[in-house]
Amino acid sequence: MLFNAGLLVLSCLTASVSGFPPSHLTQAGSGTDVVLSCSLVEEGGGFGAMGAGGGLFTRTPATLVLRDLPVSPDVSPETLTPYIPPATPDPEDIIIEAKVTSPEIPEADSLLHADCNEQEVTCEISRYFPRGTEGTGLAYFIGSVQLEGGGISMTLVLQTLPPVGEDEQPAVSPLLQNKLELPLSQSGTLLTEVAFVVFSRSQSVSAPLGGDVLLDCGFKQQEPFPARAMGLEWRLQHRGSGRRILELKAEETEEEPIVHVDRNGSSVNPVVAVEEGNVSLSLEELRVIDEGTYICTVSTALFQAQQVMQLYITQPPRVSLSVDTVLFRAGLPQKVSCHCERYYPLDVQVEWMYLPPSEKEPISLTQNASHSSHRQYSDGTFSLSSHLMLQPSSMPPGTVVTCLVSHPSLSAPISVNLTVSKPEPTGRPYWMMLGVAIATLLFLYIVLR
Ligand SMILES: *[C@@H]1O[C@H](CO)[C@@H](O)[C@H](O)[C@H]1NC(C)=O
Ligand SMILES: *[C@@H]1O[C@H](CO)[C@@H](O)[C@H](O)[C@H]1NC(C)=O
Ligand SMILES: *[C@@H]1O[C@H](CO)[C@@H](O)[C@H](O)[C@H]1NC(C)=O
Ligand SMILES: *[C@@H]1O[C@H](CO)[C@@H](O)[C@H](O)[C@H]1NC(C)=O
């Protein structure tokens, strides 16, 4: 998948994954600390980088400690143990402590429960150089934390805090982290605070053709909140090409945010966006071309961060059989078809089986069937037919033949049936009888008029 270059470096990489043991769920002060195993991702293949993946990036193990996450009352305190930094500070270690009290992290609870639910957390950190922060003496990181399996996903901007000595004065000659060359706290950690966060609570959404959907995205930042000036862009990337869906710009000097809509029926509530940081995108009357990767980019005076989510369009097939009943004439095989129409996406599975009256379990016929190729309509949906020759020898009257269709849009497969009917008692072909009847009527008509 292709994304814009720049900030989105993070999502181009395969995730380094780590579950964390419950002992790493730790309590401190009013909230709880969560310890995540992360990778520090850097551009370029320097020497000594561990676990280098690909030629372009190097990854170094790192630890992210999210401090003071609010605890919900149902977390039992026994499971929480205080976070203990290493006994002797090691300038090789990369331990980033992030204060998260303001702005608060949404649904941080789900991170606390991730371990119990056997969900994995992906965490990657890289250096970030926001425009306009040169010469401030502050360093920045961008961290991407994702709960596998469709939970919360967030991109955090971390801003370093100057380390302080025992007397709360700036430390005089603090230990420097070897790789980052940044001053460490007395316990050997890099102190930061969360300055900005963009998050989404649904990384993947399915919605029906013609329906509506809301793609979740939000942001929070340190003061000033609400954000007086901000920018928002929603883009759609699909199969290597991208287009803008919507853009919003709020300026301090303007009364109303300016919204530019590129896709009809898409909207963001500008008031909620600016005042609550809720920049969720609403899309109406979904079409197949709306499917793809959506990127929500929020920028403020200093920072810019993104969330990426997938939208899948689904439409169940309409399933029908060419006939309801089959009558074998003159003992000849009969062709029947099962039609699956107007579905999306492409992967549909058709199975055939039959159940003679004497049997208890249906017998599969799928390998005897032949499929037409897929046809695609202008709205992007597909159709397919499956054909089968029924043999009179194996199908006595009363046999039920079933076409069973599975599709990702269906929670259970659709089944349609036909039955094999009894032959005419005279054994004479039906059309002959019909011919005789018509001839008789014609004869009577001529004679009697
Ligand atoms: C944004 O608002 C919508 C309702 O308009 C709500 O369903 C959604 O949960 C909100 N999202 C965030 C991130 O607050
Ligand atoms: C959007 O709607 C307007 C007015 O209904 C119409 O003129 C325009 O062609 C539409 N644009 C697209 C891309 O469908
Ligand atoms: C299915 O096909 C096989 C040969 O490929 C044939 O022997 C068998 O009779 C067929 N079954 C039915 C029920 O048509
Ligand atoms: C088709 O027949 C099978 C048994 O052979 C039955 O389980 C299924 O419910 C039937 N489907 C319909 C739509 O009647």
Side-chain angles (χ1 to χ4, degrees), residues 8 36 130 271 315 398 407:
L8 210 62
L36 302 173
V271 177
Q315 178 68 18
H407 187 261

Side-chain angles (χ1 to χ4, degrees), residues 354 365 368 389-391 394-395:
Y354 72 111
L365 268 177
N368 289 39
M389 287 303 270
L390 302 182
Q391 306 293 340
S394 45
M395 298 184 178

